[in-house]
Amino acid sequence: MSEASRTTPRTDLRERALVLDGADPLAARRKLFALDDGVYLDGNSLGALPVHVPARVQDVLTRQWGELRIRSWDESGWWTAPERIGDRIAPLVGAAAGQIVVGDSTSVNVFKAVVAAGRLAGEGRDEILVDATTFPTDGYIASSAARLTGHRIVPVAPADVPAALGPRTAAVLLNHVDYRSGRLHDLPGLTAAVHAAGAVVVWDLCHSAGALPVGLDEHGVDLAVGCTYKYLNGGPGSPAYLYVAERHQAAFDSPLPGWNSHADPFGMTPDYAPADGSVRGRVGTPDIVSMLTLEAALDVWDGVSVDVVRAKSLALTDFFLECVEAYVPAGRVTSVTPAVHAERGSQVALRCDGAEPVMRRLIERGVVGDLRRPDVLRFGFTPLYVGFADAERAARILGEVLAEVDADVVADVVADVVADVVADDTVG
């Protein structure tokens, strides 16, 4: 493509980006976050800091802890924070109140959910199906849970789950969105298939909660887990959450029965009696500073429709892919993220030779994405603060970086050839 023919589409794309940003109903949310002049496309790993959070955390440290001290368990609502914050997350994943408890890490909650799912399934079922493409930790945890409970792990691709289900299936652990490719799996259809086989399903929502509608209650999901530091912007290492459908709460048998989930936690009795409701998902003393940081961060969702977030997410990723096609040298990258909206999360993953130095240069140029080895450039689109101008700029700089990298490779090859010729002449 000639320089002249590239000028018009670039100008058109920049102008379109400005028009799209001007019509964006979420555009005003951007000012709620601490952002610089760069393009931050890694909110699917760590969400940006909401600007009001530091002051709220300062109050937790200086007044609630510094002045009230132990009294804050009651007077500042520390004791009820796991359920209270769970109820704030609930609308974002399509759950009614009283079914989500916040605390521990995603890994710990995966362990609770997988073991509890196996127990809910009952006798005679000794297989746990695990998403073969899952985030590695989910697989590690599920394998350990299976060894401890006498189950057998069966890795299977999500699309192949219906065919793999049978009378021996106890539980199925699936990721809603694939962390590498951004593929959105069919939660309603797969949940129905698992139930038809008499098994229990556990969904990992780490890459979907806060980016798209989930519909836990609507689709009859049994158990779910998720983190809060990605699209929910809770901060590094912020506590995860566990969803237990109301119909399962009376029978939910946690493998980690801590004192915080006891019916009478301050009774300090030697025998364990589980509390009612989502409180059964608690274990030990909650991490109050991180938990209240998350609670403050969730304020940015007040008045936001997840359907609007989803519409913008799809429009952003469509526009980014269009810009990539216009700016990036032909054949240099290949999208591994599905083009079909029903199969796409809120990220774009591009397979690229030499991905590591390419991402390094992008970050140096102010476009922050991340790398999934060996060859995937991953760009997360967080609709609350990423705009269309960001998408256009990121694709344009990606095209420039790839051209620079390719030119460097050619120069290195030429230099090697010249060196070899000189060496041959010298020897001769």
Side-chain angles (χ1 to χ4, degrees):
M1 183 181 290
S2 68
E3 184 59 33
S5 64
R6 293 180 67 88
T7 301
T8 300
R10 288 184 177 221
T11 303
D12 289 347
L13 289 169
R14 292 182 192 180
E15 291 176 351
R16 279 180 54 204
L18 293 176
V19 171
L20 290 167
D21 281 335
D24 175 17
L26 296 175
R29 297 277 157 174
R30 185 183 180 101
K31 69 177 183 296
L32 302 180
F33 295 88
L35 297 164
D36 53 27
D37 293 332
V39 179
Y40 188 63
L41 300 181
D42 210 4
N44 54 334
S45 282
L46 177 64
L49 170 71
V51 294
H52 70 280
V53 166
R56 294 275 288 278
V57 174
Q58 187 64 33
D59 177 70
V60 173
L61 295 175
T62 59
R63 184 183 65 83
Q64 296 182 33
W65 180 17
E67 297 176 14
L68 296 178
R69 295 178 288 277
I70 197 72
R71 292 161 52 194
S72 274
W73 286 105
D74 291 322
E75 295 180 28
S76 300
W78 288 2
W79 186 258
T80 57
E83 297 79 55
R84 181 178 71 245
I85 301 171
D87 284 348
R88 294 194 62 184
I89 292 173
L92 302 178
V93 293
Q99 299 177 99
I100 293 179
V101 64
V102 173
D104 307 310
S105 66
T106 306
S107 299
V108 172
N109 284 315
V110 167
F111 179 76
K112 295 179 204 172
V114 169
V115 173
R119 292 172 175 174
L120 285 169
E123 297 295 327
R125 293 178 175 269
D126 60 357
E127 293 182 348
I128 297 174
L129 273 56
V130 177
D131 181 348
T133 63
T134 190
F135 187 76
T137 293
D138 284 16
Y140 305 156
I141 295 291
S143 294
S144 178
R147 290 195 301 272
L148 290 169
T149 59
H151 288 80
R152 184 172 73 94
I153 286 290
V154 180
V156 59
D160 297 331
V161 164
L165 292 164
R168 296 178 61 182
T169 307
V172 182
L173 172 63
L174 295 167
N175 271 236
H176 196 191
V177 174
D178 185 281
Y179 78 101
R180 282 193 190 91
S181 68
R183 177 177 291 277
L184 173 64
H185 297 304
D186 180 11
L187 183 147
L190 291 171
T191 298
V194 172
H195 288 167
V200 178
V201 68
V202 180
W203 283 96
D204 182 328
L205 309 179
C206 285
H207 285 271
S208 59
L212 52 91
V214 177
L216 293 178
D217 287 353
E218 177 186 356
H219 302 303
V221 170
D222 301 299
L223 301 163
V225 301
C227 67
T228 61
Y229 47 78
K230 300 182 189 297
Y231 296 108
L232 299 185
N233 312 295
S238 56
Y241 56 90
L242 171 68
Y243 164 88
V244 181
E246 184 177 12
R247 67 185 181 280
H248 290 311
Q249 288 178 0
F252 179 80
D253 185 4
S254 174
L256 299 173
W259 76 285
N260 260 232
S261 62
H262 198 286
D264 183 14
F266 293 98
M268 302 299 173
T269 59
D271 296 325
Y272 179 74
D276 293 329
S278 64
V279 177
R280 287 190 179 203
R282 293 173 66 154
V283 183
T285 305
D287 184 340
I288 289 299
V289 176
S290 290
M291 191 163 292
L292 297 188
T293 299
L294 166 63
E295 183 173 34
L298 290 171
D299 286 353
V300 300
W301 288 95
D302 290 348
V304 174
S305 163
V306 179
D307 290 331
V308 172
V309 169
R310 175 59 168 167
K312 181 179 176 182
S313 165
L314 291 172
L316 274 172
T317 48
D318 278 344
F319 185 65
F320 177 69
L321 286 167
E322 181 182 352
C323 292
V324 167
E325 185 176 0
Y327 293 150
V328 172
R332 193 61 178 82
V333 299
T334 303
S335 176
V336 296
T337 300
V340 177
H341 284 181
E343 299 175 2
R344 186 194 309 167
S346 197
Q347 70 180 53
V348 172
L350 303 175
R351 181 161 287 122
C352 172
D353 290 339
E356 189 166 354
V358 169
M359 183 53 70
R360 187 163 55 246
R361 291 196 188 195
L362 281 172
I363 292 172
E364 290 170 355
R365 296 277 295 273
V367 176
V368 179
D370 66 13
L371 173 75
R372 285 294 176 262
R373 291 184 293 180
D375 60 354
V376 172
L377 303 172
R378 198 177 70 153
F379 303 96
F381 289 83
T382 308
L384 292 189
Y385 55 77
V386 173
F388 293 89
D390 294 323
E392 186 275 336
R393 180 182 170 191
R396 176 163 36 89
I397 293 175
L398 173 61
E400 295 168 0
V401 165
L402 287 170
E404 294 168 3
V405 168
D406 292 347
D408 288 348
V409 170
V410 171
D412 289 343
V413 170
V414 170
D416 289 343
V417 170
V418 170
D420 289 343
V421 170
V422 170
D424 288 344
D425 288 346
T426 301
V427 172

